[in-house]
């Protein structure tokens, strides 16, 4: 394909074709082995660049894979042969309005950068994926990312008030805006959040902000059994809504302890880290309720701290769990969730699946909202182990669906999970999804192979 027309349409240096550069944009963090080799990478700097790229691609029927920071865990930003990778990493503008508590941001800004910028105005952007220091706001919106505090504050869609999005034919549209209440027309903004680049490319986001989060109180509890830990989770969520309620199993505990040397109980089957950010003395009161719930469920060790630094150290340990477990070997990462009453069945079921397939599966979780991240350790160079790991991957998703849950709570379907999507949604919803996709992208150029 002759790229000279595309190169002439865009500012100098926007279109990259160097083989080494292309190699760096073939895969996201999921490292999908089926990744293709793109014709070029377009590093857009403005909405106009995205419009021009998509008009050209639509005219020539060239597939386009939108990409943010490349931190996705489900293969949603996997390049396809002969396509374009359209990167928004250089779209980094931000404008903050403290009066309306909103921020208008470019999709290339990292989650952490948005948090720091709004904090200078005494404000807070709540969604906080564990990868918040490396994931982009555009990618967060594309996958409807969640995080540790979502049990109380919700996920990305709850903070997206508006956006600018470029459709497959290169048309830019504005949806929503800096209004906390707006019922005019269909809820199109919500439709694009979580659409994983299959319906359009997000070039700007209007985000809702909150006042700065109060100082938190933290409860840490260890358990000898998974059952005791899940009973404590249900007791806590039945009594109040914590600001955070996180879970780590024994594999994760030991992997983190190997790296951070925090004195975590290596013999524990599970560790819970819970936090309250209730105002004033209420935080300590909620911490006491959570502490009592953990002890009543049989915690072998449980304590409460009001020291912000000590509490943050345990939160950081939970955030570090995925890279720590990854040191044991390459990972297949899951993201399944279930209704809270079925959380115990999911966790014990995953343990049985791991044993049946003779693979190591570590489970970490945003336990307060039932969203788990099973981490399947495997050696890709060992065909037998790889087969067992992939079999376990599928069985875990089938288990989640059987328990009334979902194959993804916050990472997206991407390419790695789409085979199981029909089992969760059913034929009628799949047909409706395809009709929406066809209406907005009739030539099927946007992120082909993802989700559907």
């Amino acid at each position: 394909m002759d790229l000279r027309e595309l190169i002439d349409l865009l500012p100098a240096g926007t279109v990259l074709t160097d083989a080494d550069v292309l190699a760096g944009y073939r895969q996201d963090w999921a490292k999908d082995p089926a990744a293709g080799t793109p014709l070029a990478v377009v590093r857009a700097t403005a909405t106009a660049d995205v419009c021009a790229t998509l008009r050209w691609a639509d005219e020539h029927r060239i597939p386009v894979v939108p990409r943010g920071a490349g931190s996705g865990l489900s293969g949603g930003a996997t390049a396809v042969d002969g396509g374009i990778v359209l990167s928004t990493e250089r779209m980094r503008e931000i404008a903050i309005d403290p009066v309306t508590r909103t921020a208008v941001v470019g999709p290339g800004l990292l989650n952490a950068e948005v948090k720091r910028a709004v904090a200078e105005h005494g404000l807070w952007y709540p969604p906080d994926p564990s990868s918040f220091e490396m994931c982009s706001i555009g990618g967060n919106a594309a996958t409807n990312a969640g995080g540790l505090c979502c049990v109380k504050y919700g996920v990305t869609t709850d903070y997206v008030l508006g956006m600018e999005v470029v459709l497959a034919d290169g048309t830019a549209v504005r949806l929503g805006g800096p209004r906390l209440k707006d019922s005019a027309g269909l809820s199109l903004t919500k439709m694009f959040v979580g659409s994983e680049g299959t319906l359009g490319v997000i070039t700007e986001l209007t985000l809702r902000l909150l006042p700065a989060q109060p100082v938190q109180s933290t409860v840490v509890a260890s358990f000898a059994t998974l059952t005791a830990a899940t009973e404590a989770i249900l007791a806590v969520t039945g009594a109040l809504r914590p600001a955070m309620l996180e879970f780590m199993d024994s594999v994760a505990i030991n992997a983190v302890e190997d790296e951070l040397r925090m004195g975590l109980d290596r013999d524990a089957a599970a560790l819970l880290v819970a936090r309250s950010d209730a105002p004033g003395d209420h935080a300590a009161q909620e911490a006491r309720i959570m502490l009592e719930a953990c002890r009543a469920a049989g915690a072998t060790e449980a304590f409460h701290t009001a020291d912000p630094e000590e509490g943050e150290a345990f939160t950081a340990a939970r955030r570090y769990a995925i890279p720590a477990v990854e040191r044991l070997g390459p990972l297949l990462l899951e993201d399944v969730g279930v209704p809270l009453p079925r959380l115990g069945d999911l966790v014990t079921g995953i343990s049985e699946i791991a044993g049946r397939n003779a693979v190591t599966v570590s489970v970490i979780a945003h336990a307060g909202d039932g969203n788990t991240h099973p981490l399947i350790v495997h050696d890709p160079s060992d065909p037998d182990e790889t087969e067992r790991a992939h079999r376990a991957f599928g069985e875990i998703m089938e288990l989640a669906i059987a328990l009334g849950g979902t194959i993804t709570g916050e990472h997206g379907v991407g390419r790695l999970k789409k085979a199981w999507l029909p089992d969760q949604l059913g034929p009628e919803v799949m047909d409706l999804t395809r009709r929406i996709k066809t209406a907005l992208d009739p030539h099927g150029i946007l992120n082909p192979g993802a989700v559907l």
Side-chain angles (χ1 to χ4, degrees), residues 32-117:
D32 184 355
T37 300
L39 285 173
V41 172
V42 173
R43 299 178 69 212
T45 58
T47 297
D49 299 345
V50 177
C51 292
T53 301
L54 289 180
R55 280 195 298 268
W56 176 86
D58 194 50
E59 179 183 351
H60 296 284
R61 308 295 193 265
I62 302 297
V64 176
V65 175
R67 177 187 172 100
S71 63
L73 295 170
S74 59
T78 301
V80 298
D81 285 329
I84 298 293
V85 172
L86 178 52
S87 170
T88 60
E89 63 190 305
R90 295 203 293 174
M91 302 178 71
R92 296 174 46 78
E93 299 82 4
I94 183 168
I96 301 164
D97 184 348
V99 177
T100 61
R101 291 179 183 161
T102 60
V104 178
V105 306
L109 281 168
L110 302 184
N111 182 295
E113 292 175 323
V114 173
K115 287 183 183 297
R116 286 195 292 267

Side-chain angles (χ1 to χ4, degrees), residues 361-378:
V361 182
S362 176
V363 178
I364 59 176
H366 307 309
D369 53 28
N371 186 192
T372 69
H373 297 314
L375 313 175
I376 305 172
V377 182
H378 73 299

